[in-house]
Amino acid sequence: MRQHSVIHTPKPSDYQELTQVWEASVRATHEFLPDSYIELLKNLVLTRYLDAVMLICTRDARQRITGFAGVAAGKVEMLFIDPQHRGQGLGKLLLRYAMEHLNADQLDVNEQNPQALGFYLKQGFEVVGRSAKDGMNQPYPLLHMRYKQPDLKAGRG
């Protein structure tokens, strides 16, 4: 992971590459979404969603984007890792950066994506709510999560 340890700020000229990473990640982890819905979302990611968030990314040794996150109003709105780079700590690196530098302590995750849910639980998030439909009013339930602050009183006598 050494070459990925730096967080970069992508530019609008990177949006096409970010969208490719988004699509590859979604196709690898969101088997429950039909192809037509992925195509619709892909267009929205490229034309609207990337502009609506503060973006951070990781790059490989050749400067190709390997993962990215988008944050708005204290919420991680997107976190996607290229499938070829999963399991290398990039998601944790991006999430920690978003929390520490962009004050993000909330996020939503698809209920039907158990890998992502497990990842966020392991990172200290807890489920605080649920919506039966996604942000586009489609039947893909979302779990609302918030970072659980460590109990500072624990261990004090």
Side-chain angles (χ1 to χ4, degrees):
M1 190 180 87
R2 201 167 293 280
Q3 71 264 28
H4 295 285
S5 61
V6 177
I7 297 290
H8 301 271
T9 303
K11 298 175 175 59
S13 59
D14 293 316
Y15 282 11
Q16 193 68 47
E17 188 177 1
L18 290 168
T19 303
Q20 290 169 354
V21 169
W22 175 88
E23 182 178 11
S25 179
V26 167
R27 289 190 184 280
T29 59
H30 293 64
E31 307 85 24
F32 55 93
L33 293 178
D35 189 63
S36 59
Y37 195 54
I38 292 173
E39 289 299 320
L40 172 69
L41 291 174
K42 180 174 136 180
N43 182 53
L44 291 170
V45 167
L46 181 61
T47 61
R48 294 191 190 160
Y49 296 166
L50 294 175
D51 275 332
V53 294
M54 179 172 291
L55 291 165
I56 54 176
C57 71
T58 53
R59 295 179 183 269
D60 65 14
R62 292 190 237 172
Q63 293 304 300
R64 289 178 301 204
I65 294 171
T66 53
F68 73 96
V71 176
K75 186 174 180 183
V76 177
E77 295 287 352
M78 50 183 81
L79 176 60
F80 295 95
I81 306 301
D82 185 297
Q84 296 178 8
H85 297 277
R86 286 180 64 197
Q88 299 176 17
L90 301 180
K92 184 175 181 178
L93 179 70
L94 287 163
L95 182 62
R96 289 284 157 219
Y97 188 94
M99 293 170 66
E100 294 169 12
H101 299 280
L102 305 177
N103 301 314
D105 66 353
Q106 300 174 61
L107 56 88
D108 291 340
V109 65
N110 286 101
E111 186 176 67
Q112 295 153 294
N113 186 348
Q115 290 179 8
L117 176 60
F119 168 76
Y120 292 123
L121 290 169
K122 190 174 177 184
Q123 302 309 313
F125 282 76
E126 62 184 344
V127 176
V128 295
R130 180 184 185 274
S131 298
K133 296 186 177 183
D134 69 6
M136 301 223 357
N137 206 30
Q138 295 301 305
Y140 305 110
L142 294 176
L143 298 176
H144 310 297
M145 303 186 81
R146 182 181 311 271
Y147 182 67
K148 190 167 104 176
Q149 297 296 330
D151 185 359
L152 299 176
K153 295 177 186 173
R156 291 187 182 173

